[in-house]
Amino acid sequence: MADLKAKLELPENGSIELPVKQGTAGHDVIDISKLGSSGYFTFDPGFLATASCESAITYIDGDKGVLLHRGYPIDQLAEESNYLDLCYLLFYGELPNKEQYAQFVETVKTHTMVHEQLAFFFRGFRRDAHPMAMLCGVTGALSAFYQDSLDVNDPKHRRIAAFRLVSKMPTIAAMCYKYSQGQPFIYPRNELSYAGNFLQMMFAVPCEDYKVNPIVERAMDRIFVLHADHEQNASTSTVRLAGSSGANPFACIAAGIASLWGPAHGGANEACLNMLEEIGTVDRIPEFIERAKDKDDPFRLMGFGHRVYKNFDPRAKVMRETCHEVLEELKIDDPLLDVAMELERIALNDEYFISKKLYPNVDFYSGIIMKAIGIPTSMFTVIFALARTSGWIAHWKEMLDQPGHKISRPRQLYTGKDSRNFVELKDRD
Ligand code: SDX
């Protein structure tokens, strides 16, 4: 790589030369780690132009609508791969051969059950607790049940924690749903696929046999694949930040779940379906489009826009095709899809959305598919978190594997009061 430099002219103290680091693709970066000695910090709230780390896991080209996992395009992975195949790729950097794949799947299957005491842990929640609140609480509590995999400096602990999380997240997610329904928890069935096992834990009941619908199983696995990882998004950055302090893996993933819950991030799929239901009919779309444009109205079109994609989110394209396939194959005529299609058509032809490059994102269609599968809206972000667990773990592992990794500790622009003396209560006005 060429030895590139950037020269920064400072208002005082002359100028400073900063090294430029080049990646495989995308933006090169100016390494500012030594800038502090010049008396200046950079300022970038929301990190719009800040690379927080070096990573080889996922690459996004927002202008071209490209998403690569370890170099493989998301549309090929969604079509040809499956979620556990992708988990292996995200963790280890290469697609597994037949033997590696069989071993990985076998290991995941043998960790799908949770500690029996965890069932009692749920009893502390109200039945009407939001499933994300339960998922966040239970995941954070896993460190109380699996103390033999908490030492992040021990590669064996990191490996077993990674498997426990990938294996148990579907079980815990389904337990959140069953608990909210007042139904008994359903144990995993290891002869089923990862997606099939999740569906049976969600929808089976002890009083009758449950048969996994292969169409629904394929759609569920594809939703897991499309949500697995997405570079340094808010929740992944949260996991990295928590992990940088040496916090245990379960606490780090719980932090990621908390961040993902926000409606600007993973909570958008639930918010998007609620929005489509609020719109209700095609003739009400113009009213909501006007609200989305109104600066004084906090309303935004959920499922539209993205910090990085200023083109179609490639996941939304695949999700859109899957949406049509599932509704057709399940013979579901969902008027909300008509509203979604018309909303997409109007928004994509509206000057406001075109000028601001607001396209449908991954959350726009996922909700309609999950509703068609029979998953309640309150579980949408839980499923996003289940799928993103593999991405969170991959980044957590990558960070810990990087030699000389430090605790993340951003600085600030201080705009508070200058130093002043304390005033006794009796002397205050
Ligand atoms: C995910 O980062 C990731 O990778 C996330 C994710 C992942 O896989 O991890 O892809 C998953 O979170 C997808 C995004 C889901 N969120 C939503 O669908 C919520 C609705 N979208 C927005 O809130 C918004 O688009 C964000 C949060 C996604 C992105 O916001 P930015 O990049 O901070 O952009 P911005 O808020 O500064 O918006 C730029 C302009 C603003 O107008 P101006 O102030 O310039 O006049 O576009 C407008 C915004 O008002 N705008 C919208 C809008 N999104 C942005 N206007 C109406 N509806 C919208 N949805």
Side-chain angles (χ1 to χ4, degrees):
M1 293 279 186
D3 184 16
L4 298 178
K5 297 261 188 243
K7 189 169 183 180
L8 190 58
E9 294 297 331
L10 302 169
E12 288 141 32
N13 323 336
S15 62
I16 184 170
E17 270 205 348
L18 296 164
V20 171
K21 293 168 81 91
Q22 293 181 290
T24 323
H27 289 55
D28 293 342
V29 296
I30 300 171
D31 180 345
I32 57 161
S33 49
K34 302 282 182 294
L35 180 65
S37 59
S38 71
Y40 290 89
F41 291 141
T42 57
F43 184 67
D44 184 17
F47 307 122
L48 285 107
T50 294
S52 60
C53 63
E54 192 169 315
S55 180
I57 299 170
T58 290
Y59 173 67
I60 303 173
D61 182 326
D63 294 328
K64 297 194 185 109
V66 168
L67 169 57
L68 308 177
H69 290 314
R70 301 286 190 181
Y72 295 101
I74 188 64
D75 50 331
Q76 292 180 27
L77 290 165
E79 198 52 46
E80 316 284 339
S81 179
N82 65 57
Y83 183 69
L84 289 185
D85 195 39
L86 176 57
C87 283
Y88 186 100
L89 176 67
L90 292 172
F91 288 6
Y92 304 117
E94 296 298 336
L95 290 167
N97 61 31
K98 288 192 189 66
E99 192 192 325
Q100 290 164 332
Y101 177 73
Q103 178 59 50
F104 189 79
V105 171
E106 192 50 33
T107 307
V108 170
K109 284 181 185 288
T110 53
H111 289 82
T112 49
M113 281 175 61
V114 292
H115 194 293
E116 199 61 14
Q117 282 297 108
L118 212 64
F120 299 111
F121 188 88
F122 272 86
R123 300 268 176 268
F125 295 114
R126 287 170 40 146
R127 290 281 178 174
D128 62 353
H130 193 290
M132 277 298 280
M134 292 191 261
L135 185 72
C136 198
V138 171
T139 304
L142 289 176
S143 55
F145 291 87
Y146 299 105
Q147 286 106 336
D148 63 342
S149 56
L150 302 179
D151 178 0
V152 297
N153 298 310
D154 181 338
K156 286 198 203 70
H157 282 220
R158 294 208 296 265
R159 182 180 181 280
I160 179 66
F163 273 110
R164 279 177 165 149
L165 282 158
V166 170
S167 305
K168 298 178 195 305
M169 208 47 94
T171 310
I172 295 168
M175 289 172 85
C176 293
Y177 174 62
K178 284 303 195 188
Y179 189 75
S180 70
Q181 298 299 303
Q183 289 186 0
F185 298 133
I186 299 293
Y187 285 109
R189 299 286 317 169
N190 291 341
E191 75 275 14
L192 297 172
S193 72
Y194 191 84
N197 206 354
F198 173 64
L199 290 167
Q200 77 91 21
M201 290 188 283
M202 280 281 291
F203 299 120
V205 286
C207 31
E208 56 194 47
D209 289 343
Y210 177 81
K211 196 159 168 17
V212 177
N213 176 323
I215 298 161
V216 175
E217 180 181 25
R218 182 77 190 112
M220 194 76 258
D221 188 82
R222 190 172 286 182
I223 286 176
F224 290 159
V225 166
L226 292 172
H227 288 83
D229 189 54
H230 211 238
E231 198 213 65
Q232 305 309 324
N233 58 85
S235 53
T236 300
S237 300
T238 302
V239 172
R240 278 179 173 263
L241 198 67
S244 74
S245 74
N248 76 71
F250 306 111
C252 294
I253 300 302
I257 293 171
S259 171
L260 185 76
W261 196 2
H265 188 14
N269 53 19
E270 178 177 357
C272 181
L273 208 88
N274 292 338
M275 174 191 74
L276 291 175
E277 282 168 348
E278 189 187 351
I279 294 174
T281 53
V282 166
D283 61 330
R284 291 195 64 206
I285 291 175
E287 169 198 336
F288 283 83
I289 293 267
E290 288 319 304
R291 281 187 58 194
K293 296 181 196 174
D294 178 356
K295 282 274 152 274
D296 301 326
D297 188 332
F299 173 78
R300 285 194 163 177
L301 279 188
M302 289 290 116
F304 275 81
H306 199 278
R307 172 59 60 76
V308 177
Y309 290 123
K310 301 307 170 193
N311 195 321
F312 240 93
D313 179 337
R315 301 167 298 175
K317 275 186 184 166
V318 179
M319 204 68 89
R320 189 173 193 264
E321 286 154 27
T322 308
C323 196
H324 282 286
E325 274 167 33
V326 169
L327 293 184
E328 221 162 278
E329 283 155 345
L330 295 180
K331 301 194 179 11
I332 293 173
D333 177 17
D334 186 345
L336 284 186
L337 182 66
D338 302 335
V339 174
M341 296 300 290
E342 183 58 8
L343 178 61
E344 180 198 44
R345 188 192 67 76
I346 296 175
L348 291 183
N349 291 288
D350 182 290
E351 190 39 43
Y352 174 91
F353 292 90
I354 294 169
S355 63
K356 293 182 186 301
K357 298 185 178 180
L358 301 174
Y359 291 88
N361 57 47
V362 67
D363 295 304
F364 188 65
Y365 289 100
S366 56
I368 297 163
I369 301 174
M370 289 194 272
K371 181 172 177 287
I373 289 176
I375 291 164
T377 314
S378 63
M379 280 293 291
F380 287 3
T381 312
V382 169
I383 286 169
F384 194 152
L386 187 172
R388 186 53 57 89
T389 296
S390 56
W392 289 333
I393 292 167
H395 284 273
W396 172 76
K397 275 166 55 62
E398 183 180 63
M399 177 186 67
L400 292 174
D401 288 344
Q402 272 163 358
H405 67 269
K406 293 183 168 57
I407 186 168
S408 298
R409 203 267 186 234
R411 303 306 302 274
Q412 63 177 10
L413 172 67
Y414 176 67
T415 55
K417 297 281 188 199
D418 209 337
S419 176
R420 52 183 174 162
N421 294 320
F422 182 75
V423 180
E424 297 278 337
L425 182 58
K426 63 183 175 47
D427 301 330
R428 294 174 202 163
D429 303 338

